[in-house]
Amino acid sequence: MEWLKGIPIFRPLTDSQLAEVEKLVHMQQLERGQFVFFEGEDKTAVYFVRSGTVKVSKVDEEGREQIVSFLKAGDMFPHVGFFDESPYPGTAQTVTDVQLALIPVHKFEQLLMKEPQIAMSVLRVLSKKILELQQKLQDVTLQNASDRILQTLVHLSEWYGEQKEDGRFLSLRVTNRELANMIGTTRETVNRILNDMKKQGTIKMETNGIWISNQLLRTV
């Protein structure tokens, strides 16, 4: 039950309430690269990341992947579509080995109606996601590709990174293709800009992540 307290929407609950929630939960273990669900499939469950990282993406009209977000331990997904029969709004795929907790969607809806604290927590999560998407839209429309890559690396390092004395280390393994899909540009453009940053010494590409210098962080 202790792990449930690490899920933000469940933090306001008492131990007895958490025990009731735990009865609804099913656990799922997936290896890196496996799909949790596909965009357009019937929505059957609400998922919570217990450990690992999950990528959520959509496909545009030309068949190109657009990465919506990366999810870490404590995050819930999908964030929309409760109390209706809409399908999953995107495709979820594991980036690392992942342990997931899932609640059947109809039971989660009943839980929201039964526990107002959870409903309010979900609303706060949704509000945060809306602000993130608004910021992402503003970044895409107002910034050049170099600035968008910088903003994306900094945001990812804030969510998944660790502050070091000389910079911040992003332990999330993100490919250049994934970065391109996040900011709406080509992989070749990302390659060129990252190579320029490496030559300037403001980032270092390591086997288990990316180091971002304090000098670069201060420019954001």
Side-chain angles (χ1 to χ4, degrees):
M1 187 170 67
E2 283 299 314
W3 70 269
L4 277 174
K5 295 179 181 179
I7 307 293
I9 72 166
F10 296 135
R11 285 175 188 160
L13 301 185
T14 63
D15 286 348
S16 61
Q17 290 171 320
L18 287 170
E20 290 301 312
V21 172
E22 194 170 31
K23 294 177 184 178
L24 306 178
V25 172
H26 304 274
M27 303 307 299
Q28 186 176 36
Q29 192 81 32
L30 296 176
E31 296 180 353
R32 180 187 177 193
Q34 288 188 275
F35 290 94
V36 184
F37 53 73
F38 291 92
E39 182 178 357
E41 283 186 339
D42 290 340
K43 185 168 66 265
T44 58
V46 179
Y47 293 82
F48 303 88
V49 183
R50 187 169 179 181
S51 66
T53 306
V54 174
K55 174 180 70 175
V56 178
S57 62
K58 295 179 67 68
V59 175
D60 64 18
E61 295 178 353
E62 298 179 2
R64 295 174 301 193
E65 180 189 48
Q66 296 179 326
I67 296 177
V68 178
S69 61
F70 287 95
L71 304 168
K72 62 184 184 302
D75 286 342
M76 173 188 78
F77 66 104
H79 299 97
V80 296
F82 309 127
F83 304 107
D84 64 32
E85 297 181 357
S86 61
Y88 285 118
T91 295
Q93 183 181 20
T94 61
V95 178
T96 64
D97 291 348
V98 168
Q99 186 175 35
L100 300 174
L102 63 97
I103 298 177
V105 68
H106 67 282
K107 291 185 178 179
F108 188 71
E109 291 169 352
Q110 293 171 357
L111 186 63
L112 291 179
M113 291 187 290
K114 180 182 177 182
E115 302 291 350
Q117 304 100 316
I118 297 180
M120 290 301 298
S121 294
V122 169
L123 287 176
R124 283 192 286 269
V125 169
L126 292 178
S127 297
K128 182 180 178 182
K129 285 296 175 183
I130 289 172
L131 291 174
E132 288 177 4
L133 290 173
Q134 287 176 334
Q135 183 62 54
K136 186 174 181 180
L137 178 61
Q138 182 177 344
D139 291 345
V140 168
T141 55
L142 298 181
Q143 295 180 335
N144 59 38
S146 181
D147 288 339
R148 296 203 304 273
I149 289 176
L150 173 58
Q151 288 280 0
T152 299
L153 288 176
V154 170
H155 289 159
L156 288 175
S157 71
E158 289 172 347
W159 300 328
Y160 308 105
E162 180 182 358
Q163 187 64 47
K164 304 289 186 179
E165 184 177 347
D166 57 351
R168 191 177 291 147
F169 185 74
L170 171 60
S171 57
L172 179 67
R173 290 187 292 179
V174 183
T175 67
N176 290 3
R177 169 65 68 188
E178 288 172 330
L179 272 175
N181 291 344
M182 290 185 74
I183 68 171
T185 189
T186 65
R187 183 178 60 182
E188 291 73 22
T189 298
V190 171
N191 291 345
R192 175 178 54 79
I193 293 172
L194 291 182
N195 283 333
D196 288 343
M197 290 179 176
K198 285 189 287 186
K199 290 176 182 176
Q200 295 165 6
T202 53
I203 67 169
K204 292 179 183 177
M205 310 299 287
E206 302 183 11
T207 55
N208 58 339
I210 304 173
W211 171 83
I212 306 169
S213 70
N214 284 329
Q215 174 189 349
L216 194 59
L217 293 170
R218 285 193 290 267
T219 66
V220 178

